Amino acid sequence: MMTGSKRSSFNVALNHLVILAKDKRKTADFITELLDLDDATAADGPVPGFFCCIRFDNDVTVLIAESKEHPAGHYAFKVTGEHFETLLNKLKRETRDFWADPRMEKPFECYEEDGKKGLYVVCPSGHGLEILTDLQVDNER
């Protein structure tokens, strides 16, 4: 177990993470369509096609791998205020389920807290996806 505070002069950045899904293509398509991203691509490398890859603007790649049994995860995606409103309107127009809370007790609402706005959806593999923005930061740009 690590204790204490430790700072180094090294620059560490998240490169990729793996999300397990019942159907990797369906889950990847859901995420890319939901967030208005480019289509997921098949991974190359040691096991070509094993992953569906979603690339994000901050140089992080999400790799979707197929696994019939997996625990549900939570993944949060930060977007601009303008993009959030576009996504919210799309969810309403398409009558897709979304909630203001992770317990799914406030359907078809979004939350607003300390200048942040967000909502939750569930992907086909059962993962909770949170879309959030920091409106105060967006207004300063």
Side-chain angles (χ1 to χ4, degrees):
M1 183 168 141
M2 294 176 52
T3 59
S5 177
K6 192 178 195 181
R7 291 280 180 189
S8 74
S9 60
F10 298 111
N11 184 8
V12 179
L14 180 66
N15 176 266
H16 68 275
L17 63 91
V18 176
I19 295 176
L20 301 177
K22 294 173 189 168
D23 181 324
K24 67 182 176 186
R25 176 51 58 190
K26 187 182 271 187
T27 298
D29 289 348
F30 181 88
I31 292 170
T32 56
E33 181 185 320
L34 175 69
L35 298 173
D36 296 326
L37 299 171
D38 290 337
D39 290 341
T41 58
D44 50 9
V47 186
F50 184 76
F51 297 109
C52 287
C53 301
I54 303 171
R55 300 193 196 305
F56 289 86
D57 292 335
N58 59 349
D59 292 328
V60 172
T61 301
V62 171
L63 306 169
I64 314 288
E66 208 149 296
S67 175
K68 297 302 176 198
E69 294 185 25
H70 60 275
H74 172 89
Y75 304 95
F77 302 94
K78 188 173 181 181
V79 298
T80 65
E82 181 181 357
H83 194 186
F84 182 87
E85 293 303 322
T86 299
L87 297 175
L88 178 61
N89 289 329
K90 178 168 69 170
L91 289 169
K92 289 177 179 179
R93 188 174 56 253
E94 295 175 359
T95 60
R96 289 197 190 191
D97 293 336
F98 64 93
W99 298 266
D101 64 308
R103 292 186 176 151
M104 299 186 278
E105 296 173 345
K106 299 176 184 176
F108 305 107
E109 297 179 33
C110 58
Y111 68 81
E112 293 186 47
E113 181 180 293
D114 298 327
K116 295 179 183 178
K117 202 169 189 180
L119 58 84
Y120 298 84
V121 298
V122 177
C123 80
S125 291
H127 299 298
L129 308 179
E130 182 178 4
I131 302 169
L132 68 137
T133 186
D134 184 338
L135 296 177
Q136 293 173 343
V137 171
D138 290 341
N139 290 333
E140 292 174 5
R141 290 182 186 172

